[in-house]
Amino acid sequence: MTSAFEPATIGRYTTRSRVVMAPMTRSRAYGPGASPTELMATYYGQRAGAGLIVTEGIQPSAIGQGYLNTPGLHTDEQVAAWRPVTAAVHDRGGLIFAQLMHTGRIGHPDNTAQGHQPAGVSAVRAAGTIVTPTGPQEFPVPQPLDADGVRATIADFVTAARNAIEAGFDGVELHGANGYLLHQFLATNTNLRDDEWGGDVAGRIRFVVEVTGAVADAVGADRVGLRISPANGFNDIVEDGHRETYLALLDALNPLGLAYLHVAEGPDTEFTPVLRDRWQGTFLLNPYTPGSWTGPEALKLIETGETDLVSYGALYLANPDLPRRLAASGPFTTPDYRTAYGGDHHGYTDYPELG
Ligand SMILES: Cc1cc2nc3c(=O)[nH]c(=O)nc-3n(C[C@H](O)[C@H](O)[C@H](O)COP(=O)(O)O)c2cc1C
């Protein structure tokens, strides 16, 4: 029986445990430069005891930014500013992957320094509103990427991944989950394209396969993970025939030999063992826990072999020494969502450690 506190293999790395910090946007990269800060180095350094840290979503390009005050990895200034963050984690023996998140249609001109219209897969706006400096506003209709735009976006991911390695990250996680650009290519309600990146399953998975392949070529497949969230309706996503889509995606990606597949599980929990079975590499699971958050009981999924590693979001936010607390069966600090996005060190670097 495998314990959560044994090492696992993630590409070229061996983790110190199977407890992973899930990616969490915290919106504290203030200013037009969208650069990480010293406070962020403290925050990630406090959580370096994880088997792996996956950072908050980081935009690979200016146009990839949808939310306020999220950091980027597309300028020299940003690369330099990430170095103290990766150093803080490495100084404590941790591993850290940068999550590359292009938000696609989930954005607003008022949330970016340039005031640009969000780029999308097709001209389909998301239902609902997004927080902007003047309060919640409706999502705009995105500007669909033309063929040159699709190729330029792939190139942006490659550059950002190279930048991540230059900034000291151990690898990158491509954000293909939760209704952002990669997911928008996969989903049937957001991808209405009739060119090679749309239409049937082969067309809808093409962009994700191309981005992943190009990034793997650039930095090594053993430093690249992919996050997916099949049938998760977050950000107004509808996926007809999701099982067929994701099995085709896994079949196309298996030959690459990626570091891991990260599944943010959705309501179709019975699909998870099917994905686990189909995926030939390391499997990282963020279990579906509607109305709650992943708790200590999820570690059993490692013991039963249902997954290789488990990622924790909310509990990691509030418990910087989470693996220690899990090993001791608690106690756990309750996360305060009021300070989740934006603000200062309160609810960010002031959560206590045990003892
Ligand atoms: C404050 C906050 C920010 C998040 N930001 C991201 C993100 O940037 N990228 C991502 O893939 N998931 C993001 N998530 C989702 C988490 O990674 C995770 O899937 C979710 O919280 C469920 O796991 P949990 O029950 O352990 O919290 C975020 C979650 C929270 C609570």
Side-chain angles (χ1 to χ4, degrees):
M1 194 174 72
T2 308
S3 140
F5 302 99
E6 280 175 36
T9 301
I10 283 195
R12 65 176 73 173
Y13 306 105
T14 302
T15 66
R16 57 174 155 207
S17 78
R18 291 163 181 252
V19 176
V20 172
M21 177 176 169
M24 281 179 286
T25 290
R26 304 302 308 272
S27 292
R28 282 164 166 87
Y30 297 109
S35 284
T37 61
E38 271 176 47
L39 188 64
M40 288 163 63
T42 304
Y43 166 76
Y44 284 111
Q46 289 171 340
R47 287 158 179 77
L52 171 70
I53 291 174
V54 184
T55 67
E56 61 206 284
I58 301 172
Q59 55 266 13
S61 55
I63 195 146
Q65 178 176 8
Y67 296 114
L68 279 171
N69 304 318
T70 54
L73 251 173
H74 52 90
T75 69
D76 292 343
E77 179 198 330
Q78 290 161 349
V79 171
W82 278 111
R83 284 201 186 102
V85 177
T86 57
V89 174
H90 291 151
D91 286 350
R92 293 166 185 79
L95 283 172
I96 180 165
F97 274 38
Q99 189 188 55
L100 300 182
M101 169 172 88
H102 187 310
T103 59
R105 68 174 185 161
I106 302 301
H108 197 282
D110 295 356
N111 286 355
T112 66
Q114 303 78 14
H116 58 69
Q117 192 73 2
V121 177
S122 301
V124 184
R125 65 172 290 273
T129 59
I130 181 165
V131 175
T132 72
T134 53
Q137 297 191 57
E138 293 213 322
F139 286 109
V141 177
Q143 178 66 42
L145 292 166
D146 61 16
D148 285 344
V150 172
R151 290 187 198 102
T153 305
I154 295 171
D156 287 342
F157 271 97
V158 167
T159 304
R162 287 206 176 103
N163 286 344
I165 300 300
E166 212 189 305
F169 284 102
D170 300 296
V172 296
E173 176 177 287
L174 302 172
H175 195 349
N178 299 351
Y180 301 108
L181 186 71
L182 272 63
H183 202 179
Q184 291 161 28
F185 270 95
L186 297 172
T188 43
N189 72 324
T190 43
N191 186 342
L192 308 182
R193 302 177 76 99
D194 54 13
D195 64 2
E196 60 196 290
W197 292 285
D200 57 4
V201 169
R204 281 185 284 107
I205 68 170
R206 191 179 312 278
F207 180 74
V208 178
V209 173
E210 288 182 352
V211 170
T212 310
V215 169
D217 277 349
V219 303
D222 57 356
R223 291 199 282 201
V224 179
L226 172 69
R227 188 172 220 215
I228 56 171
S229 59
N232 175 347
F234 187 64
N235 279 324
D236 190 24
I237 285 290
V238 179
E239 295 187 275
D240 293 334
H242 66 276
R243 288 187 172 207
E244 192 194 345
T245 305
Y246 285 93
L247 291 178
L249 180 67
L250 266 53
D251 289 347
L253 295 177
N254 267 327
L256 295 182
L258 295 182
Y260 63 85
L261 179 72
H262 190 175
V263 175
E265 192 177 40
D268 186 3
T269 54
E270 288 175 10
F271 189 39
T272 304
V274 181
L275 291 166
R276 164 72 161 154
D277 191 51
R278 193 73 155 241
W279 182 245
Q280 292 167 359
T282 297
F283 197 81
L284 167 56
L285 183 64
N286 182 243
Y288 184 58
T289 52
S292 177
W293 49 70
T294 306
E297 68 288 344
L299 298 182
K300 285 198 200 78
L301 301 170
I302 296 169
E303 296 170 7
T304 56
E306 286 163 81
T307 188
D308 296 312
L309 302 100
V310 167
S311 70
Y312 284 90
L315 265 199
Y316 230 127
L317 185 153
N319 296 275
D321 52 351
L322 184 63
R324 243 178 93 205
R325 290 175 188 254
L326 287 168
S329 301
F332 302 101
T333 307
T334 301
D336 180 356
Y337 287 114
R338 290 170 306 181
T339 47
Y341 303 105
D344 54 16
H345 69 286
H346 293 289
Y348 190 58
T349 54
D350 60 356
Y351 282 108
E353 296 196 8
L354 271 184

